[in-house]
Amino acid sequence: MGKNKRLYVLDTNVLMHDPTSMFRFEEHDVFLPMIVLEELDAAKTGLTEVSRNVRQVSRFIGDMMNSQGAGQLEDGLELRIPHGLDLPCTRGRLYFQTSPSGTHPSLLSEGSFADNEILSTALSLQESEKKHEIILISKDINLRIKAAILNVPAEDYYNDR
């Protein structure tokens, strides 16, 4: 791993599983594709644990935007640990997709739209972000398999490491 800093692209299911996940990548940066925000928005209603987790993720992001300003999101937000969370200090930044990811490779023309959009975004980041090592984080084994086929490093998410 020759690059200094990693950029972790988070799948929606990671945030649904652990709303604090974006704060658990130490000094590295985190990237949220637009489709992830769309899926979070669609899953926020209800009384389930997943719905509560999604609402918590939205509160974390909202608090960071309120305290740091939403005017320059292209520069990312500093991943500051929210008050009351006992997590190791982080120095990374949270980035959002602010432009289209480009076109899907022909291998991605069928199947799950959201998964393919996330994968397409990771592929675009590999081309544009040469200073970062791009790693897709997903609880979805099929998405990780597709990522491996397209040479996108992908890992499962475990909140205990």
Side-chain angles (χ1 to χ4, degrees):
M1 296 192 198
K3 299 175 185 169
N4 292 337
K5 206 162 193 175
R6 295 182 194 134
L7 180 61
Y8 290 101
V9 179
L10 298 189
D11 188 358
T12 313
N13 58 40
V14 172
L15 295 162
M16 290 175 158
H17 172 75
D18 178 5
T20 66
S21 60
M22 69 182 113
F23 304 107
R24 296 183 180 271
F25 293 94
E26 298 171 349
E27 74 274 13
H28 302 290
D29 296 331
V30 172
F31 186 92
L32 296 182
M34 187 62 69
I35 193 70
V36 168
L37 297 172
E38 294 283 339
E39 287 187 309
L40 290 173
D41 191 47
K44 68 185 177 189
T45 58
L47 299 174
T48 67
E49 180 180 358
V50 169
S51 297
R52 285 190 294 275
N53 287 350
V54 167
R55 289 191 298 272
Q56 184 60 61
V57 169
S58 297
R59 281 191 293 274
F60 286 151
I61 293 171
D63 289 348
M64 284 188 286
M65 289 176 74
N66 287 336
S67 67
Q68 299 177 47
Q72 298 296 325
L73 288 181
E74 293 85 21
D75 298 329
L77 298 172
E78 185 180 336
L79 281 166
R80 297 179 187 159
I81 304 296
H83 180 70
L85 281 183
D86 185 24
L87 296 172
C89 184
T90 182
R91 299 250 194 270
R93 297 187 74 75
L94 175 63
Y95 293 96
F96 301 93
Q97 182 178 1
T98 58
S99 61
S101 62
T103 60
H104 296 296
S106 60
L107 288 173
L108 296 179
S109 61
E110 301 288 326
S112 170
F113 173 76
D115 286 355
N116 290 347
E117 187 66 29
I118 293 166
L119 197 46
S120 179
T121 300
L123 284 164
S124 294
L125 286 169
Q126 280 184 324
E127 295 171 10
S128 66
E129 294 294 319
K130 299 297 184 188
K131 66 182 184 222
H132 285 97
E133 177 183 0
I134 308 302
I135 302 172
L136 175 62
I137 304 296
S138 178
K139 300 292 294 167
D140 181 347
I141 186 141
N142 291 319
L143 179 55
R144 295 194 312 268
I145 291 168
K146 287 197 285 190
I149 291 167
L150 295 172
N151 293 318
V152 174
E155 299 176 6
D156 197 350
Y157 174 75
Y158 302 99
N159 59 358
D160 59 346
R161 64 177 176 122

